[in-house]
C-alpha cells in the first residue's frame, strides 16, 4: 500500500532531524512543500510507511538517501550577474585592497561561492574578473563553488544554462563564452568551466567546514535567511574561520549579520556593504 499522507508528528520528526543535520528550519507554513517531497522519496524507495523510510534514511551507512532528500528540499533559484554591483565592488575595491596588503605576492587569491547552486554565481565572478579586473594578468585567482546539493553541483560542472539564466549577460559575453544549443540552452566554454572548482559542503557539519580555510573572499548570498539564529551564528563562525585575517564576506542584499555576530567589521563601499574579518 502506498503512503499518501504524513501526520503532524511525522512532519515534526523529519523537520527536527533535518534542522539538526543542515541548520535549515521548516516552519508549519512549509508543511505542504516538505510533505510532498518526503512522499516522493517514500514512493521511490518502496518504504511502507514514513517510519520505515525515516529509519532507513537515518541509519543508512552511505547516507545516500539523506543526500537525495537534501537535494529535493533545498531551493536553488539563481541566474548570471545577480546583484552584479557586488562584483563591481569586488573588482574595483576589494581585490585591489587584498593585493596591496599581500605579503606573499605569488600566493593565489582564493574566492568561494557558498552556496554555489548550479554555478551561475562563481561563473559570473570569473566572467566579471576577465572583463573588468586588469589585475588578473598579474595575479592568480582560484574560484570555488560549494553546495550541500550534489545534483546542482553536477549541473554546475556540466555548465548548461537556460535562456532565463543568462538573460542578464552582455551580448558580447554570451557570444564569446557560450555556445547556443539546439534546445535553446547555452553551454559555457570549457576554459571558464575549468577555472571553477566545485565541491560539496554542509555548513552545519563541522567535519565539512574544517575543510574551508584560507579564502580571501566568500560570497554567501541568500543562504542565512533559511536559518534560525543559532544555525546562523554557527554558519557565520564557520565562514569567519574559512577567511584569512582581513578577508571579505559578501551577503545578499536583504541579509545582515550585525545583530547576530560581532566577529566581522562593517565596510561601506560606494555600491555595497561588505563584512570583513579583522586583520588580527
Amino acid at each position: 500500500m502506498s503512503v499518501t499522507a504524513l501526520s503532524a508528528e511525522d512532519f515534526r520528526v523529519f523537520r527536527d532531524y533535518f534542522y539538526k543535520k543542515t541548520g535549515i528550519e521548516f516552519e508549519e507554513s512549509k508543511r505542504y512543500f516538505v510533505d510532498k517531497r518526503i512522499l516522493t522519496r517514500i514512493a521511490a524507495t518502496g518504504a511502507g510507511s514514513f517510519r520505515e523510510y525515516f529509519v532507513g534514511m537515518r541509519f543508512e551507512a552511505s547516507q545516500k538517501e539523506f543526500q537525495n532528500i537534501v537535494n529535493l528540499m533545498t531551493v536553488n533559484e539563481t541566474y548570471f550577474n545577480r546583484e552584479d554591483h557586488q562584483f563591481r565592488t569586488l573588482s574595483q575595491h576589494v581585490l585591489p585592497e587584498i593585493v596591496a596588503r599581500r605579503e606573499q605576492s605569488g600566493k593565489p587569491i582564493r574566492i568561494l561561492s557558498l552556496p554555489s547552486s548550479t554555478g551561475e554565481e562563481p561563473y559570473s565572478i570569473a566572467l566579471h574578473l576577465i572583463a573588468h579586473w586588469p589585475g588578473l594578468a598579474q595575479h592568480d585567482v582560484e574560484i570555488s563553488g560549494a553546495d550541500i546539493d550534489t545534483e546542482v553541483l553536477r549541473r554546475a560542472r556540466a555548465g548548461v544554462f537556460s535562456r532565463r539564466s543568462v538573460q542578464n549577460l552582455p551580448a558580447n559575453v554570451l557570444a564569446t563564452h557560450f555556445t547556443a544549443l539546439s534546445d535553446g540552452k547555452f553551454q559555457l566554454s570549457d576554459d571558464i568551466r575549468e577555472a571553477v572548482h566545485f565541491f560539496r559542503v554542509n555548513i552545519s557539519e563541522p567535519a565539512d567546514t574544517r575543510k574551508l580555510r584560507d579564502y580571501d573572499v566568500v560570497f554567501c548570498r541568500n543562504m542565512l535567511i533559511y536559518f534560525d539564529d543559532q544555525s546562523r551564528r554557527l554558519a557565520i563562525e564557520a565562514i569567519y574561520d574559512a577567511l584569512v585575517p582581513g578577508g571579505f564576506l559578501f551577503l545578499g542584499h536583504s541579509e545582515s549579520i550585525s545583530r547576530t555576530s560581532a566577529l566581522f567589521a562593517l565596510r561601506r563601499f560606494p555600491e555595497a556593504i561588505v563584512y570583513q574579518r579583522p586583520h588580527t
Side-chain angles (χ1 to χ4, degrees):
M1 180 184 296
S2 62
V3 181
T4 58
L6 302 182
S7 69
E9 177 65 10
D10 293 340
F11 173 75
R12 185 193 65 75
V13 167
F14 177 82
R15 180 190 62 187
D16 292 350
Y17 179 73
F18 198 79
Y19 168 74
K20 181 180 178 182
K21 292 283 286 184
T22 68
I24 299 173
E25 185 174 41
F26 292 117
E27 298 178 354
E28 187 66 34
S29 61
K30 295 288 187 181
R31 174 76 187 273
Y32 176 78
F33 171 89
V34 173
D35 283 12
K36 184 178 180 181
R37 282 154 180 78
I38 294 175
L39 290 171
T40 296
R41 291 311 306 165
I42 289 176
T45 58
S49 66
F50 168 78
R51 177 174 175 77
E52 181 183 337
Y53 170 77
F54 181 75
V55 171
M57 177 268 293
R58 182 174 181 178
F59 296 105
E60 183 182 28
S62 69
Q63 288 291 282
K64 182 178 180 180
E65 182 54 32
F66 176 70
Q67 186 63 58
N68 288 334
I69 200 71
V70 165
N71 292 357
L72 281 180
M73 292 293 177
T74 48
V75 178
N76 298 290
E77 176 68 21
T78 187
Y79 48 86
F80 279 88
N81 279 7
R82 186 176 189 176
E83 298 182 35
D84 62 345
H85 62 281
Q86 292 191 337
F87 302 148
R88 292 192 295 272
T89 298
L90 174 70
S91 60
Q92 294 173 13
H93 303 283
V94 168
L95 289 179
E97 184 173 319
I98 289 173
V99 168
R101 62 176 167 78
R102 293 188 81 80
E103 296 179 0
Q104 301 178 30
S105 58
K107 187 178 178 182
I109 297 168
R110 304 184 72 224
I111 301 173
L112 174 65
S113 168
L114 171 74
S116 62
S117 186
T118 43
E120 284 90 336
E121 180 174 275
Y123 287 139
S124 291
I125 294 170
L127 292 170
H128 178 87
L129 295 185
I130 289 170
H132 299 288
W133 191 49
L136 202 58
Q138 290 82 38
H139 303 278
D140 290 332
V141 178
E142 294 180 1
I143 301 175
S144 297
D147 204 288
I148 194 173
D149 186 334
T150 55
E151 173 58 21
V152 298
L153 291 172
R154 182 194 66 77
R155 290 165 58 191
R157 296 185 186 103
V160 177
F161 301 96
S162 68
R163 181 172 296 278
R164 180 185 178 279
S165 178
V166 302
Q167 65 182 350
N168 290 340
L169 287 173
N172 66 308
V173 172
L174 198 59
T176 302
H177 298 290
F178 291 80
T179 300
L181 303 179
S182 58
D183 59 359
K185 294 182 178 180
F186 294 84
Q187 171 76 67
L188 184 60
S189 65
D190 289 348
D191 57 341
I192 303 298
R193 288 161 56 203
E194 291 169 1
V196 179
H197 167 64
F198 290 96
F199 61 97
R200 182 191 177 278
V201 68
N202 180 350
I203 195 67
S204 296
E205 177 54 61
D208 283 3
T209 57
R210 280 194 290 270
K211 297 181 290 187
L212 303 178
R213 291 294 184 272
D214 299 325
Y215 288 99
D216 297 283
V217 180
V218 172
F219 280 79
C220 182
R221 306 193 296 183
N222 305 310
M223 180 184 79
L224 299 179
I225 57 176
Y226 297 103
F227 292 172
D228 67 356
D229 288 344
Q230 180 180 353
S231 297
R232 192 176 297 117
R233 191 175 299 110
L234 291 173
I236 292 167
E237 290 172 358
I239 294 170
Y240 177 90
D241 290 338
L243 285 164
V244 298
F248 293 86
L249 168 62
F250 286 82
L251 297 178
H253 72 278
S254 63
E255 296 175 302
S256 171
I257 60 172
S258 298
R259 289 185 296 178
T260 307
S261 171
L263 290 173
F264 288 87
L266 191 69
R267 296 288 305 276
R268 296 183 183 274
F269 294 101
E271 289 191 88
I273 291 174
V274 184
Y275 295 88
Q276 185 175 27
R277 173 175 170 168
H279 291 278
T280 55

